[in-house]
Amino acid sequence: MSSFLAHCTPWPAALAADYRSKGHWQGQTLSDLLALRVEQDGDHLAIVSDATRWTYRQLAQEVDRLAQAFTALGITKDDRVVVQLPNCAEFFSVIFALFRLGALPVFALPAHRKLEISYFCQHTEAVAYIIADQHGGFDYRPLASEVKAVSPSLQHVLVLGDAGPFAALQTLNSQAPLPAPPLASDVAFFQLSGGSTGTPKLIPRTHDDYIYSMRGSAEICQLSSESVYLCVLPAGHNFALCSPGSLGIFYVGGTVVMSSSASPDQVFHLISRERVTITALVPPLVPVWLDAASSLQPDLSSLQLVQVGGARFNSGMAARLVRELGCTLQQVFGMAEGLVNYTRLNDAESLILHTQGRPISLDDEVRVVDDEDQLLPVGEIGHLITRGPSTIHGYYKAAEHNARAFTVDGFYRTGDLVRQTAEGYLVVEGRAKDQINRGGEKISAEEVEHQLLAHKGVQDVAIVAMPDAYLGEKSCAFIIRRDNTLRAVDLTAYLRQLGLAAYKIPDRIEFIEAFPKTGVGKVSKKILRQMIEQRLASV
Ligand code: J2J
């Protein structure tokens, strides 16, 4: 048995043994699953992406080519590789090649820029960074040059498309013999945490724990080889990858259709052409799709299940979705740290419209506790803490933070405020963590505050969520400036130039003379939220 990756926290031995004995952890790797698919039905269509149509066999061939090529480059077990690809077929050939080697993808989002990517590369000591040449009007190659200049560990930049000064993924070739495959208990990759701290946190997930979540999710969603999943959200995000997402589809031998955009024109075309049966959305996309569907009248008759999650979903909009699309709605309340809750397909409508579901199995322990970690009576609102076969016991290289983020008996503090119904379903009521949920994109207030504080014109800053009709929440930065000539545009331009992802740049900046304080003299974000709410309501 190999030891667990350094700077990661393994599950306590007793829990691990329990999960194995109950069959939650079955000792399979993600590579094993792909090999099984090829064996069972290699000619089934696995991925559609633009003009690319790969069967499972073709996918596996691409995976082998890349695994050999990566090996020839010296990429090997436990090496970290930052993967920042748009939704395309090659996303999967790259990650399965890394899985085969036991090298560890770090799933960056396409929106991440220099600050985030160089942090991931430095923090994980990544040896390679994999990008597309361009996507969404952005050229990733100059970004890669900047990242490389500040990331001493980085040996390779590999590019899908026109490689410029780097190496092209498509032409890599080698006959290098492959090393022994990893173990199911090994860390397989890193997900990113939504985060509430100064620096982003990385989430080590193992093959065993991820496959537990994927298999359970695929069963709950009743996937089969007939299922066709439209991947609209970023492919590496936990929701799109594993709830049940693309990996859940591969597990049952279905087909994944990649969409590089969430615009109704493109997705409706793909849904009717490929006879898509299931897709996953964040709440802001729902009214956009519904409005467009009512005017364009596309053929969405193949669609059986629409999953919505990532942020609070209004029950009125949920009812509208069911009425207008005539398919099943599933609410999904998940987190990259592990726990995922689902409403079940045959649940009563009241549960589907008004709750965020329940965990995959009873071994996903969920507790609702007060500020002192004491269990609350069922129905009361409190902090959600959780432990289970897919929930991590520690972030990567974050010992100090881990001491606060987990209870002594290994429960993860989700930072969500929830209530549990008599049926055991969870309703998300709010948030205790210092985060803004911008339509499913998570922003750590502290991370952005930290960047703004480095500006010489800023004396102090506090970032809070403000209501937004479309996104649910947007971010508002309250700033005490040193100099009255400092303007909001100076600060947003500053953040952009530093290389912060666009979604983290405050949507609004309010200059203020002094912060309201709590009874113990801390900045009261609660009062700041009320202030901006009132200001927005009065215009
Ligand atoms: C309210 N808040 C929600 C929901 C997540 C499936 C689905 C989503 C994610 C995800 C995921 C919510 N209602 N339905 O990983 O596998 C907020 C909570 C949660 C945080 C996690 C998956 N669904 N949230 O969103 O890691 O605050 O994962 O703790 O990005 O999103 O964010 P993330």
Side-chain angles (χ1 to χ4, degrees):
M1 190 99 179
S2 74
S3 60
F4 212 57
L5 186 69
H7 310 293
C8 298
T9 317
W11 274 257
L15 279 179
D18 190 40
Y19 298 153
R20 284 200 183 92
S21 74
K22 287 178 171 154
H24 295 321
W25 292 357
Q26 299 184 349
Q28 280 180 312
T29 66
L30 291 158
S31 302
D32 294 338
L33 295 182
L34 181 60
L36 205 63
R37 288 311 349 142
V38 177
E39 208 178 289
Q40 295 191 341
D41 193 3
D43 295 324
H44 195 95
L45 186 61
I47 305 175
V48 177
S49 175
D50 289 326
T52 303
R53 301 180 83 81
W54 282 344
T55 62
Y56 278 91
R57 200 181 316 285
Q58 287 169 316
L59 169 62
Q61 280 163 359
E62 271 299 289
V63 171
D64 285 346
R65 176 181 73 83
L66 287 176
Q68 288 186 311
F70 292 162
T71 301
L73 292 176
I75 298 174
T76 181
K77 185 163 186 324
D78 292 346
D79 279 350
R80 272 75 67 189
V81 176
V82 176
V83 177
Q84 189 183 31
L85 289 171
N87 287 6
C88 58
E90 291 81 359
F91 173 84
F92 295 110
S93 49
V94 164
I95 67 168
F96 273 101
L98 296 171
F99 294 158
R100 169 60 187 83
L101 303 179
L104 312 176
V106 179
F107 289 119
L109 295 172
H112 285 140
R113 293 294 177 261
K114 184 185 162 196
L115 270 184
E116 291 92 7
I117 302 291
S118 37
Y119 174 77
F120 301 148
C121 289
Q122 291 163 7
H123 186 64
T124 67
E125 298 164 81
V127 299
Y129 173 36
I130 303 185
I131 53 172
D133 50 4
Q134 300 192 40
H135 171 69
F138 182 77
D139 190 335
Y140 287 86
R141 292 161 297 186
L143 169 63
S145 299
E146 288 186 276
V147 168
K148 193 155 191 308
V150 295
S151 309
S153 60
L154 206 57
Q155 294 165 33
H156 309 284
V157 174
L158 305 172
V159 184
L160 177 65
D162 177 356
F166 305 115
L169 263 186
Q170 311 86 283
T171 52
L172 293 180
N173 237 321
S174 156
Q175 300 300 316
L178 294 180
L183 300 175
S185 53
D186 287 340
V187 171
F189 54 83
F190 292 96
Q191 277 287 353
L192 306 177
S193 165
S196 57
T197 56
T199 50
K201 294 288 171 283
L202 290 143
I203 301 168
R205 301 289 301 261
T206 64
H207 294 271
D208 268 334
D209 93 69
Y210 217 56
I211 291 175
Y212 159 78
S213 187
M214 184 188 82
R215 191 180 54 239
S217 305
E219 277 164 19
I220 289 167
C221 294
Q222 299 176 10
L223 297 187
S224 74
S225 59
E226 306 284 294
S227 299
V228 181
Y229 176 75
L230 183 71
C231 181
V232 181
L233 302 177
H237 186 272
N238 202 49
F239 190 6
L241 194 60
C242 186
S243 296
S246 307
L247 293 183
I249 287 282
F250 295 149
Y251 172 68
V252 297
T255 304
V256 174
V257 178
M258 300 300 264
S259 181
S260 56
S261 128
S263 87
D265 283 359
Q266 178 165 338
V267 295
F268 291 167
H269 173 69
L270 289 172
I271 291 171
S272 50
R273 193 186 74 193
E274 303 298 335
R275 307 296 297 158
V276 166
T277 61
I278 165 173
T279 191
L281 303 178
V282 285
L285 287 175
V286 173
V288 177
W289 282 29
L290 294 181
D291 291 347
S294 80
S295 67
L296 301 172
Q297 297 286 314
D299 174 10
L300 305 180
S301 57
S302 58
L303 210 49
Q304 295 165 6
L305 180 62
V306 174
Q307 306 177 282
V308 181
R312 180 190 287 267
F313 189 40
N314 170 291
S315 58
M317 191 56 73
R320 191 181 151 200
L321 186 153
V322 172
R323 200 168 55 238
E324 295 184 17
L325 292 187
C327 58
T328 305
L329 164 69
Q330 179 181 61
Q331 294 215 39
V332 189
F333 164 40
M335 52 208 72
E337 284 81 356
L339 175 73
V340 188
N341 302 280
Y342 297 95
T343 56
R344 303 308 199 255
L345 305 196
N346 56 359
D347 273 343
E349 191 171 78
S350 59
L351 288 175
I352 293 180
L353 298 185
H354 299 287
T355 81
Q356 281 66 56
R358 61 180 161 91
I360 291 176
S361 84
L362 291 175
D363 289 307
D364 291 297
E365 302 170 73
V366 290
R367 291 188 185 162
V368 183
V369 300
D370 65 14
D371 290 345
E372 275 72 48
D373 286 347
Q374 297 304 307
L375 211 56
L376 286 167
V378 172
E380 282 192 27
I381 299 175
H383 302 279
L384 173 65
I385 61 172
T386 183
R387 186 170 75 169
S390 67
T391 301
I392 56 160
H393 282 251
Y395 294 102
Y396 177 64
K397 275 192 196 165
E400 212 178 292
H401 177 64
N402 286 339
R404 291 189 299 275
F406 296 84
T407 68
V408 280
D409 40 6
F411 280 73
Y412 165 58
R413 300 182 193 277
T414 66
D416 292 311
L417 295 174
V418 304
R419 140 178 95 76
Q420 209 165 13
T421 67
E423 302 93 341
Y425 280 57
L426 296 172
V427 179
V428 184
E429 296 280 1
R431 196 168 55 226
K433 56 191 164 191
D434 197 8
Q435 188 184 74
I436 294 101
N437 189 335
R438 198 177 182 277
E441 291 187 304
K442 317 302 185 310
I443 304 164
S444 158
E446 194 182 323
E447 184 188 352
V448 184
E449 287 164 358
H450 182 74
Q451 298 301 337
L452 279 168
L453 273 176
H455 188 287
K456 61 181 184 333
V458 173
Q459 187 185 318
D460 210 350
V461 51
I463 298 183
V464 295
M466 60 180 184
D468 180 74
Y470 170 58
L471 289 171
E473 291 175 12
K474 278 186 173 178
S475 65
C476 175
F478 282 91
I479 287 180
I480 303 176
R481 54 187 164 184
R482 290 187 200 283
D483 156 10
N484 280 341
T485 61
L486 183 70
R487 298 163 308 161
V489 285
D490 300 329
L491 292 174
T492 50
Y494 169 76
L495 291 175
R496 207 162 281 126
Q497 172 260 323
L498 276 183
L500 191 69
Y503 69 88
K504 296 183 189 170
I505 294 179
D507 293 288
R508 183 173 173 125
I509 290 179
E510 291 279 322
F511 293 109
I512 192 169
E513 294 298 320
F515 291 137
K517 294 281 168 64
T518 63
V520 292
K522 282 181 28 182
V523 175
S524 171
K525 289 204 165 179
K526 189 172 164 201
I527 299 179
L528 288 174
R529 278 193 294 272
Q530 289 165 353
M531 282 168 60
I532 188 62
E533 253 173 65
Q534 282 162 7
R535 218 162 279 182
L536 291 172
S538 67
V539 288

